[in-house]
Amino acid sequence: MIAAARSFRKLRLDRVSRDFGALNALKDVSLDVGRGEFIALLGPSGCGKSTALNCLAGLLPLTGGGIWLDDERIDRLPPERRGFGMVFQNYALFPHMTVRKNIGFGLRMQGRARTEVEQKVEEVLALVRLAEQGAKLPGQLSGGQQQRVAIARAIVIEPPLVLMDEPLSNLDAKLRLEMRAEIRRIHNSVGSTTIYVTHDQDEALSLADRIVVLREGTVRQVGLPSELYGRPAHPDVAEFMGYRNLLRSRVAASGGEAATVEVAGATLSGVIIDRPADGEAIVAIRPEDLTPRQGGPISATVATAEYRGRDFYGTALAADGTELFFRSERSVAPGETLQLGAEPSRVLIYGNGVA
């Protein structure tokens, strides 16, 4: 079995910034990553997640701040001296080299002995379940197999850190699901530390020990997947984590951590995440939590509906014109009037702002 990656206690990003002219791609990003963690950098296009990864890899210099591996400052080191493994979106395999030669390339560049290279390549081929494919060229493999080769090449050098930049985005839906499980299995087997860039909340939730949500170059929230799924700290984080109903409202009454709010011409009870200062609020509800129910407070007319295997998901218009995203266990049709509601614990209330 391949040896555990080089030991370290903590990777630290200290107020890291990266500018492109007048554009601040990263702004004072600070983050501590422990050995063995799987960290997902999550956010929409242009939020700075790939820039952060390239700064870690040494492909982009910092404008400000520093990156530390334990007591060693590494942001001033060239990429080859950092010794990190990198998995790219497009695989970046050498098309004229066999799978074995692709995987062993980094070891050969390090001047390792031939017998050592051959042994480690065979070990990692078994780890990524490609033992029978070693003599093939990349063009003879499926997309999922090529991505496993790219992962094998990254981990065979036993790096302290493995960096992955949206590695599954070029795969079809079935392969993406399969490769999620494979990436997590390989991470656990090697004992490496992984930083994984994605714009897909499902990938982040299923893979990561902790998720870092970025927006416009800043860190908006860091937490466990369960924390970001259930209690996002800001409305924009909620929106990115799947709370498609993000509705402006007014607080009708509040007490402790609970409040009632006026939404879509009705009154709903919810949980205060960020207390509104002036009575104006933003209410976040996941589509799967807003459902037809007996005595539901929101009367809305179905506009669209689509079948997704077990349930129907659709949009509906309330009497005041508010568009709502909902889920129904039974078949619904456009033009049908529904009484929608949600459990108070699944209605999140924020102050009227994104800061």
Side-chain angles (χ1 to χ4, degrees), residues 132-151:
E132 305 302 317
Q133 313 297 329
K136 292 184 178 179
L137 296 172
Q140 298 173 295
L141 304 178
S142 68
Q145 289 173 324
Q146 289 184 54
Q147 194 56 283
R148 290 187 197 187
V149 175
I151 293 170

Side-chain angles (χ1 to χ4, degrees), residues 86-143:
M86 187 92 179
V87 181
F88 298 95
Q89 181 177 340
N90 62 356
Y91 318 142
L93 301 177
F94 298 112
H96 62 288
M97 290 186 184
T98 65
V99 167
R100 282 190 176 88
K101 287 185 177 179
N102 263 284
I103 294 173
F105 180 80
L107 294 172
R108 294 195 299 274
M109 291 300 99
Q110 292 177 350
R112 305 282 189 99
R114 178 179 175 180
T115 54
E116 181 186 5
V117 172
E118 291 175 351
Q119 177 185 345
K120 289 186 178 296
V121 167
E122 294 306 315
E123 288 177 355
V124 82
L125 272 172
L127 179 65
V128 299
R129 299 176 179 174
L130 289 175
E132 305 302 317
Q133 313 297 329
K136 292 184 178 179
L137 296 172
Q140 298 173 295
L141 304 178
S142 68

Side-chain angles (χ1 to χ4, degrees), residues 29 57 67 107 192 203 222 241 296 317:
V29 171
I67 302 173
L107 294 172
S192 60
E203 274 185 25
V222 181
M241 295 305 296
L317 293 178

Side-chain angles (χ1 to χ4, degrees), residues 27-31 212-215 217-222:
K27 308 170 190 174
D28 291 328
V29 171
S30 293
L31 178 69
V212 180
V213 178
L214 294 170
R215 175 176 175 264
T218 63
V219 174
R220 294 297 286 163
Q221 187 172 355
V222 181

Side-chain angles (χ1 to χ4, degrees), residues 215-297:
R215 175 176 175 264
E216 296 180 354
T218 63
V219 174
R220 294 297 286 163
Q221 187 172 355
V222 181
L224 302 174
S226 59
E227 293 171 346
L228 272 80
Y229 183 89
R231 294 294 172 92
H234 306 282
D236 55 296
V237 177
E239 183 178 30
F240 201 78
M241 295 305 296
Y243 288 78
R244 296 189 70 189
N245 295 299
L246 215 60
L247 312 169
R248 294 191 178 275
S249 68
R250 285 198 60 82
V251 176
S254 64
E257 299 303 313
T260 56
V261 289
E262 297 170 358
V263 174
T267 300
L268 290 180
S269 297
V271 178
I272 297 172
I273 304 298
D274 174 33
R275 188 171 299 278
D278 55 3
E280 298 291 330
I282 294 177
V283 174
I285 312 172
R286 287 182 176 276
E288 53 265 39
D289 294 325
L290 188 64
T291 60
R293 56 186 63 201
Q294 188 76 25

